[in-house]
Amino acid sequence: MIGRTTLMMIKPDAISKGYIGAILAKINDAGFKIVAMKYLKLTLKQAEEFYKVHSDKGFYNNLTQFMSSGPIVAAIIEKDNAVDDYRKLIGATDPGKADEGTVRKLYGASIENNAVHGSDSDENAIIESDFFFSKLERF
Ligand code: CMP
């Protein structure tokens, strides 16, 4: 399965605006299979752990506070070329720069409130998937 899965999250902004269903439909329509899924609220500590690669960045505190401010959906999704294809589906990190029709263009508001997360490499997809899911929670 290595190289065939990625870890996605629907962020608190998109949840509070009622976009869970619309975003999952886009993922489904793009041909991804859902391997694992959870609806949960991260603690600040858990958000800090998840995003520790960004701990030296100026936006780290805002990012981790935002990601622990409300519930999220986390999922492992599968298809050929999952990491790159999902990143194409969601568009650029900044919704203002994302292509028309992408998830962030449709449902994101700003670089912080950008609706969704996607792993940036196969290596991080494994690390991020293991953060949320045990082997017993994957199908
Ligand atoms: P995400 O895909 O979750 O990965 C890291 C997140 O940090 C990113 O989406 C953005 O929401 C956020 N981020 C990245 N760059 C910036 C920035 N320059 N200012 C604020 N937030 C940022």
Side-chain angles (χ1 to χ4, degrees):
M1 284 239 294
I2 291 170
R4 274 186 55 83
T5 63
T6 191
L7 186 284
M8 65 81 62
M9 292 188 285
I10 304 176
K11 298 188 178 187
D13 58 315
I15 303 270
S16 68
K17 291 174 185 164
Y19 293 147
I20 294 177
I23 291 171
L24 292 180
K26 288 210 56 103
I27 289 168
N28 196 43
D29 292 348
F32 288 91
K33 177 200 156 195
I34 291 168
V35 172
M37 181 171 282
K38 278 182 185 174
Y39 184 50
L40 76 157
K41 187 163 180 273
L42 294 170
T43 64
L44 179 59
K45 257 193 163 28
Q46 288 168 332
E48 287 171 350
E49 171 67 19
F50 184 89
Y51 279 114
K52 67 183 174 197
V53 292
H54 295 304
S55 60
D56 58 342
K57 311 264 172 57
F59 58 81
Y60 181 67
N61 283 347
N62 280 348
L63 173 64
T64 54
Q65 273 169 28
F66 165 61
M67 288 302 293
S68 57
S69 68
I72 61 161
V73 169
I76 301 172
I77 55 175
E78 180 184 353
K79 93 188 264 298
D80 284 344
N81 206 27
V83 166
D84 287 347
D85 282 4
Y86 179 69
R87 289 172 72 78
K88 275 183 209 137
L89 181 71
I90 64 178
T93 306
D94 182 348
K97 295 181 182 152
D99 290 341
E100 289 299 326
T102 60
V103 173
R104 284 172 169 155
K105 182 73 172 188
L106 288 166
Y107 305 116
S110 66
I111 197 162
E112 289 182 327
N113 291 13
N114 65 350
V116 286
H117 167 80
S119 306
D120 64 3
S121 65
D122 289 338
E123 188 191 6
N124 282 335
I126 292 167
I127 293 167
E128 294 177 0
S129 297
D130 290 348
F131 178 89
F132 283 107
F133 300 102
S134 77
K135 287 191 179 124
L136 295 173
E137 295 171 316
R138 304 176 191 207
F139 305 97

